Amino acid sequence: MSQSFDVISAQLKKRHRRSARLKWISMSALGLAGLFLVLFFADMLSKGLPAFQQAYVQVELEYNEDATRMGRAAMDPEVARLVSRTFERLIPGMIRNDPDLLGTSETRWVLANSQVDQYLKGHANKLRDNEREAVDELVEAGRMALRFNTTFFTRGDSKMAESAGILSAAVGTVLTMLVTLAISFPIGVMTAVYLEEFAPDNRLTQLIEININNLAAIPSILFGLLGLAIFIGFFGVPRSSPLVGGMTLALMTLPVIIIATRTALRSVPDSIRHAAFGVGCSRWQVVRDHVLPLAMPGIMTGSIIGLAQAMGETAPLIIVGMVAFIPDVSASFTQAATVLPAQIFTWAGEPERAFVEKTAGGILVLLSILIFLNASAVILRKKFERRW
C-alpha cells in the first residue's frame, strides 16, 4: 500500500514539475513578446517623432526681374543654398499670379532643405563646413529653427524629403476604404444572414461555408492577383484608382465580415426567435426586427476589425498599381491614387536619410489609426453587447 502511495506521489510531483515548467515557458514567451513590442514602439518613436518637426529658415525675399525666371535670385545667395528647392520653384509662379509683387520685398519663414534639417536634428548629413557655420549663425540669430511639420500633413508625396507628406495617401486611403465598406459590408452581412437563418443544411451550403473559411486564411497577394485579372483585365476598371483598390480589398474583407456576422447571429438566443414566431412574425420579420438589431454590436465589431486589417494591407494594392508616385490629392474614385501602407513602402525604398524618419512617421500615423479603430471596436462591443 505504501509503495503504491509513493508511486502515485512521485507521479504527482512529476506532473507538478511539468506544469510549473509549462507555466514558466508560457510566461517567458509572453514576456519576450512584450519586450519585442516595447522595442518596436521605442524604435518607431525614436525614428518617427523627428518627422513631426521640420527645419525652417527666415529669408529676405526681393521680387525682381531675375526672380521671374529663377526663384533663387530673390534670395541672398548665402541663405538660398540652405532653402528647399520646392520653395525656390514656387517664386516665379507667385510673381506670375500676383504681378504686384514685382519690385517689392518681404521677410518670411520658408522650408529649409533636408540636409539642413538632418543637421539640426543631429543626424548624418552632407553639408559642407561653411554651410554648417552658416546654419549655426542663423540659429544663433533666431532666423532658423525646428518647427512643427505641417507639411507632413498638408502635402502629397515629393522627391524632396523636406516637402514630402501624407495628404494624398491619406485621401486615397479614405476613398479606398469607402469603396471597401460600401461593397463588403452589405454583401457580407446579407450573405451571413442567408447562410445562418435561411439556407438549408445541405452539401452546397457546407461547401460554401468551407470556401468562406478558406478564403479568410489565404495570402492577401492572391486577392491582388484576382483584382488585377478580373477588375482591371476583364472589366477595365482604371488601374491605380481607389475604385479598383477598394474592390480588391472588399474581396479580402468579405470572409472576415461574413464569419463575424455569423458568430454574432449565433449569439442571439433561439428563445428570441421562438417568441417572435409565437406572435405571428414571418422569418424575415424575425431576422429584421429582432435578430439583426441584437447582433449588430458583434457585426459592427467584426466589420471595423476587417476594415482595419484591409487598411494595413500593401501587397494586393501593389499588384493593382496603387504604389505609384502621387504628389496631388485624388479628386475622384477613378483617378490614380495611393494609400498609406503603399506610401510607407515607397519611402522605405528611398536612399536619402531624411526619408527614414518619414517612413517611421508614416508608420506611427498608420498605427495610431489602426489602434483607434480596434479600440473603437472594443468600446462599441462593450457598450452595446447584451449577455444572455
Side-chain angles (χ1 to χ4, degrees), residues 20 36 43 112 118-119 145 177 204 206 225 248 260 313 317 354 367:
F36 280 126
D43 183 60
Q118 294 300 295
Y119 174 68
M177 288 300 104
L204 177 61
Q206 294 172 1
L225 294 172
T248 302
E313 286 293 338
L317 299 180
L367 277 176

Side-chain angles (χ1 to χ4, degrees), residues 28-282:
S28 300
L30 288 174
L32 189 62
L35 177 62
F36 280 126
L37 187 62
V38 170
L39 291 176
F40 168 75
F41 276 108
D43 183 60
M44 284 298 102
L45 288 172
S46 64
K47 292 180 178 178
L49 288 180
F52 303 120
Q53 285 189 314
Q54 178 64 44
Y56 285 83
V57 58
Q58 189 183 55
V59 296
E60 296 283 343
L61 296 174
E62 295 183 2
Y63 299 107
N64 49 47
E65 288 290 342
D66 293 334
T68 60
R69 297 183 297 274
M70 185 175 62
R72 178 167 292 204
M75 296 177 283
D76 180 358
E78 292 297 320
V79 179
R81 59 185 176 176
L82 307 176
V83 174
S84 171
R85 284 184 295 166
T86 302
F87 179 73
E88 292 179 18
R89 294 171 181 175
L90 292 176
I91 294 176
M94 292 165 57
I95 298 175
R96 285 194 299 269
N97 294 333
D98 187 6
D100 293 336
L101 285 176
L102 200 60
T104 64
S105 62
E106 66 170 331
T107 301
R108 64 189 297 178
W109 286 85
V110 300
L111 272 176
N113 64 46
S114 61
Q115 299 303 322
V116 173
D117 180 67
Q118 294 300 295
Y119 174 68
L120 291 182
K121 293 174 181 176
H123 299 156
N125 59 85
K126 298 179 181 178
L127 290 180
R128 294 188 290 270
D129 291 339
N130 60 339
E131 291 175 333
R132 293 179 183 179
E133 292 175 1
V135 170
D136 292 336
E137 291 175 0
L138 289 171
V139 171
E140 290 179 4
R143 295 180 56 195
M144 180 175 287
L146 290 173
R147 294 183 172 185
F148 180 71
N149 189 6
T150 56
T151 303
F152 187 72
F153 299 97
T154 58
R155 291 187 182 178
D157 195 12
S158 173
K159 294 299 183 182
M160 301 175 195
E162 67 272 11
S163 58
I166 62 171
L167 180 61
S168 59
V171 173
T173 300
V174 171
L175 294 177
T176 302
M177 288 300 104
L178 287 175
V179 174
T180 302
L181 178 64
I183 295 174
S184 62
F185 183 76
I187 295 177
V189 172
M190 288 188 291
T191 302
V193 168
Y194 172 76
L195 291 174
E196 197 64 32
E197 302 291 338
F198 296 97
D201 186 13
N202 53 32
R203 290 185 177 180
L204 177 61
T205 304
Q206 294 172 1
L207 180 64
I208 293 173
E209 292 176 353
I210 291 172
N211 281 295
I212 289 173
N213 291 328
N214 289 337
L215 284 174
I218 67 174
S220 60
I221 195 170
L222 296 181
F223 290 102
L225 294 172
L226 183 62
L228 177 65
I230 302 299
F231 300 137
I232 296 177
F234 186 76
F235 290 105
V237 179
R239 188 183 180 90
S240 305
S241 66
L243 181 59
V244 71
M247 294 169 71
T248 302
L249 292 180
L251 294 178
M252 191 189 72
T253 310
L254 266 175
V256 178
I257 294 179
I258 292 172
I259 293 171
T261 302
R262 295 191 68 186
T263 303
L265 293 172
R266 288 172 186 167
S267 68
V268 178
D270 287 337
S271 58
I272 301 293
R273 297 175 175 84
H274 296 159
F277 283 129
V279 296
C281 293
S282 65

